[in-house]
Amino acid sequence: MSAIVAIVGRPNVGKSTFFNRLIQRREAIVDAVSGVTRDRHYGKSDWNGVEFSLIDTGGYVLGSDDIFEQEIDKQVELAIDEADAIIFMVDVESGITGMDEDVASLLRRVNKPVFLAVNKVDNGKRAEDAVEFYALGLGEYFNLSSVNGSGTGELLDALVKVLPEKEKVVDDLPRFAVVGRPNAGKSSFINALIGEERYIVTDIAGTTRDSIDTKYNRFGFEFNLVDTAGIRRKAKVKEDLEFYSVMRSVRAIEHSDVCLLVVDATRGFDGQVANIFWLAQRNNKGIVILVNKWDLVEDKETNTMKQYTAKIKEAIEPFVNVPVLFISVLTKQRIFKAIETAVEVYKNRSKRISTSKLNDAMLPVIEHYSPPAYKGKYVKIKFCTQLPTPYPQFAFFCNLPQYVREPYKRYLENNLREKFDFTGVPVTIFLRKK
Ligand code: GDP
Ligand code: GDP
């Protein structure tokens, strides 16, 4: 799991411009691979070989032009709770504002690394103006121009120096994270799993202060439940805002192998649930969708589950090969099944297929339907192999990898799923030159 860096600051200082600059380079690569819709406020970046997750906190606030001061304070508090480092962005054009002072006073009390970034320093004259930001009492600052990129390197050099090392995996047990929107029933689900204290075998504190793996032996399965202080602790912020659930989810998701996405049946699989889903997908995590509070759904006819499932699948296209279970934490309906399914998904994710088996299965599939000719050129796929990554990724070697389009990759993926069962797991396909 990589460290989490949050960008905070009032609206219009240039947070999203900066965010996009850092994310873009990688994003273009990822987009070419999967082509799915992405969350514009969360992404991965790296500098000097250090990978980190970046969150643009401002992006999660609606109508951010007339945002309340209170909202910003909450964002900052949450960033303080959940991030490993914080970039506090201010704007040299407008100088110090009351809101900046507010945020600074919150950040001065924090013992996490804080980087004051003075943005819109597009020229030397503005660099002189930036001096006033010393008054925020945060020490050294970094001059930045998010528009032309100057100053970015210095800031990132300093940032990656303080990020914690990647956490070590302590055992080989599946790591499950329970995620979802507020009120979906996550804590109730975890409590139902925990049951009585005797099920807890040990508490292993992660190397990062905030995350905890707890080992469970339940229903005959052993697994680690990835919990975050953010989830365990009584939430400081109760509001039902996308930002909070996403921010809380990020750490748990990154730390897990399989995410149990709890959905409130009475509210449905809305855009905010979808965001969390894609967050897990983009991190190549296994996913099980648990439609909870099924006890509250009245008039359950034989078709209700089918229709409900169909709606969810529509929302998660094209990654539809994901288990959807209907549970009730209240009546303990299918709680066991949920864990059993998560274990299956975990196995699918760690599945290794030998190159010979893979080619025996896939070469006939390629023979049966070869990539369509592109600009009069014929693509010949010669062989394929699974990459040694912790989640399923496959390389197909051919003469003209750049001519293999998305639909054909989908064809390969569907066949891989059919032949080897990767239910609940994102599968990535690369075309490589040979
Ligand atoms: P956010 O609300 O903090 O996410 O701010 P945005 O990234 O949306 O930027 C607000 C405005 O500032 C936009 O018009 C940007 O084009 C502009 N902006 C962002 N960074 C810079 C910069 O480095 N220099 C200048 N001159 N303008 C910038
Ligand atoms: P969290 O915010 O996702 O952790 O949600 P909680 O576990 O706090 O649950 C929110 C509310 O939903 C609580 O009042 C729970 O009692 C209720 N709840 C949770 N699971 C179920 C369920 O299966 N059926 C019903 N009827 N209520 C549930």
Side-chain angles (χ1 to χ4, degrees):
M1 124 173 212
S2 51
I4 296 171
V5 178
I7 311 173
V8 302
R10 58 183 181 77
N12 285 318
V13 295
K15 294 186 297 298
S16 64
T17 308
F18 180 66
F19 171 86
N20 287 330
R21 174 170 279 281
L22 294 200
I23 296 304
Q24 239 164 25
R25 184 167 46 105
R26 284 173 65 109
E27 215 59 341
I29 300 166
V30 178
D31 270 331
V33 172
S34 66
V36 296
T37 334
R38 26 207 85 256
D39 187 330
R40 283 172 294 113
H41 321 303
Y42 163 84
K44 297 242 159 144
S45 189
D46 64 84
W47 185 252
N48 288 343
V50 181
E51 188 185 69
F52 56 92
S53 296
L54 194 64
I55 299 172
D56 169 14
T57 59
Y60 288 104
V61 181
L62 296 173
S64 56
D65 277 341
D66 47 278
I67 184 177
F68 297 113
E69 228 157 283
Q70 250 183 335
E71 281 305 325
I72 305 224
D73 287 356
K74 281 188 218 145
Q75 272 181 46
V76 173
E77 279 183 28
L78 206 73
I80 291 170
D81 275 1
E82 305 290 335
D84 296 300
I86 296 160
I87 296 175
F88 171 30
M89 189 168 280
V90 291
D91 178 349
V92 74
E93 259 180 30
S94 55
I96 296 178
T97 70
M99 255 191 225
D100 292 337
E101 280 168 348
D102 264 13
V103 174
S105 79
L106 287 171
L107 291 176
R108 276 198 301 268
R109 280 178 260 139
V110 174
N111 55 7
K112 283 190 182 179
V114 173
F115 298 89
L116 176 61
V118 182
N119 192 35
K120 308 195 187 176
V121 181
D122 306 336
N123 55 50
K125 159 79 179 67
R126 287 186 168 184
E128 285 164 28
D129 296 344
V131 179
E132 74 161 300
F133 287 97
Y134 270 124
L136 290 177
L138 290 166
E140 278 301 327
Y141 57 84
F142 293 82
N143 283 334
L144 206 65
S145 171
S146 297
V147 160
N148 69 32
S150 71
T152 315
E154 285 85 347
L155 175 57
L156 293 181
D157 280 345
L159 175 72
V160 299
K161 259 188 216 142
V162 304
L163 294 181
E165 305 242 327
K166 274 195 177 178
E167 281 171 47
K168 288 194 192 74
V169 178
V170 273
D171 57 40
D172 293 334
L173 295 179
R175 299 145 79 84
F176 298 154
V178 179
V179 295
R181 290 189 60 179
N183 268 314
K186 297 182 298 298
S187 342
S188 311
F189 180 68
I190 290 169
N191 285 339
L193 282 183
I194 295 171
E196 298 150 51
E197 284 305 307
R198 67 191 154 93
Y199 291 110
I200 302 177
V201 184
T202 45
D203 253 10
I204 309 159
T207 43
T208 299
R209 180 184 21 190
D210 291 331
S211 66
I212 291 177
D213 284 354
T214 308
K215 196 185 275 186
Y216 290 100
N217 195 328
R218 196 78 167 103
F219 310 125
F221 296 116
E222 263 201 297
F223 54 90
N224 281 316
L225 207 54
V226 179
D227 204 348
T228 66
I231 291 169
R232 270 244 185 107
R233 208 185 301 144
K234 211 171 160 32
K236 254 187 242 163
V237 192
K238 265 290 174 196
E239 277 90 331
D240 184 9
L241 283 178
E242 178 186 18
F243 168 69
Y244 303 120
S245 50
V246 172
M247 187 83 178
R248 287 243 152 80
S249 306
V250 167
R251 185 177 288 280
I253 289 175
E254 293 219 341
H255 207 61
S256 70
D257 301 305
V258 178
C259 297
L260 297 125
L261 175 55
V262 182
V263 184
D264 183 337
T266 63
R267 302 188 62 175
F269 197 95
D270 57 20
Q272 304 192 17
V273 183
N275 268 339
I276 301 173
F277 177 88
W278 293 119
L279 203 62
Q281 182 270 344
R282 292 175 66 186
N283 278 286
N284 294 297
K285 303 304 184 182
I287 306 176
V288 178
I289 296 173
L290 302 175
V291 182
N292 186 33
K293 309 195 190 179
W294 199 237
D295 58 284
L296 293 180
V297 175
E298 286 169 21
D299 304 324
K300 284 194 279 277
E301 294 164 23
T302 33
N303 266 334
T304 317
M305 277 192 202
K306 253 197 196 150
Q307 286 163 355
Y308 212 108
T309 307
K311 255 198 215 151
I312 291 178
K313 300 261 159 142
E314 214 172 282
I316 61 174
E317 265 179 0
F319 178 34
V320 294
N321 185 205
V322 175
V324 179
L325 299 182
F326 296 85
I327 68 166
S328 167
V329 173
L330 189 72
T331 67
K332 303 250 191 309
Q333 192 182 20
R334 285 187 280 272
I335 300 284
F336 166 73
K337 184 79 189 152
I339 292 301
E340 192 184 37
T341 308
V343 171
E344 278 165 22
V345 168
Y346 172 80
K347 286 183 182 153
N348 290 344
R349 185 170 180 268
S350 25
K351 197 173 279 181
R352 293 284 164 271
I353 299 157
S354 73
T355 301
S356 63
K357 249 196 184 161
L358 189 64
N359 283 282
D360 285 351
M362 293 307 287
L363 290 181
V365 162
I366 293 161
E367 182 81 9
H368 175 74
Y369 170 55
S370 305
Y374 189 77
K375 294 184 178 162
K377 298 227 161 96
Y378 288 91
V379 180
K380 269 201 79 67
I381 296 176
K382 294 159 191 167
F383 72 101
C384 49
T385 186
Q386 182 170 5
L387 301 174
T389 45
Y391 38 84
Q393 298 196 311
F394 297 89
F396 288 75
F397 292 89
C398 67
N399 56 338
L400 296 164
Q402 68 275 29
Y403 290 158
V404 178
R405 315 317 269 181
E406 215 42 55
Y408 193 77
K409 284 194 201 166
R410 202 90 71 211
Y411 167 75
L412 293 176
E413 178 183 332
N414 290 342
N415 274 282
L416 280 170
R417 290 186 181 281
E418 219 169 84
K419 296 188 181 343
F420 299 105
D421 189 3
F422 288 109
T423 303
V425 186
V427 167
T428 314
I429 289 181
F430 299 102
L431 271 297
R432 296 237 171 110
K433 174 125 181 113
K434 186 89 190 175

